[in-house]
Amino acid sequence: MKELVYETQGTCAKAIRIHLNDDNVVEEVRFLGGCNGNTSGISSLVKGMKAEDVINRLEGIRCGNKFTSCPDQLSKALKEMISCSLS
């Protein structure tokens, strides 16, 4: 099991705690801060998905006029986790 606490940038959420299993499947996602309804929904939707699929679906999503969003930050965190496991 891999775990990461990712400090977000440009979002209301301050950090994201992520657990991936050894097959890079999302076991748990918890946003620290942010809009509880939205972040809880994202967490529920991605549970059980392969990290690569989550990245493909969420990368580049923006929140209003911001350059990023909580879903986009999750994709960045997952990319970091996957690249670290390949090193």
Side-chain angles (χ1 to χ4, degrees):
M1 175 100 40
K2 298 169 249 185
E3 179 180 359
L4 173 69
V5 176
Y6 181 84
E7 293 186 23
T8 60
Q9 297 179 3
T11 63
C12 298
K14 300 300 178 204
I16 309 169
R17 176 171 286 151
I18 306 164
H19 291 101
L20 293 182
N21 69 18
D22 293 334
D23 295 322
N24 287 335
V25 172
V26 177
E27 293 288 328
E28 181 180 24
V29 172
R30 284 206 130 131
F31 287 83
L32 308 172
C35 302
N36 187 53
N38 291 333
T39 57
S40 294
I42 293 165
S43 298
S44 292
L45 288 170
V46 301
K47 186 175 182 178
M49 289 180 65
K50 292 199 63 72
E52 294 87 353
D53 294 335
V54 175
I55 293 165
N56 288 334
R57 288 182 180 215
L58 302 182
E59 186 174 34
I61 292 176
R62 296 174 60 149
C63 183
N65 61 357
K66 295 180 183 179
F67 65 94
T68 190
S69 66
C70 289
D72 183 54
Q73 289 293 296
L74 176 56
S75 74
K76 292 178 185 317
L78 290 169
K79 277 183 165 182
E80 183 177 306
M81 290 182 84
I82 291 170
S83 69
C84 287
S85 68
L86 296 176
S87 303

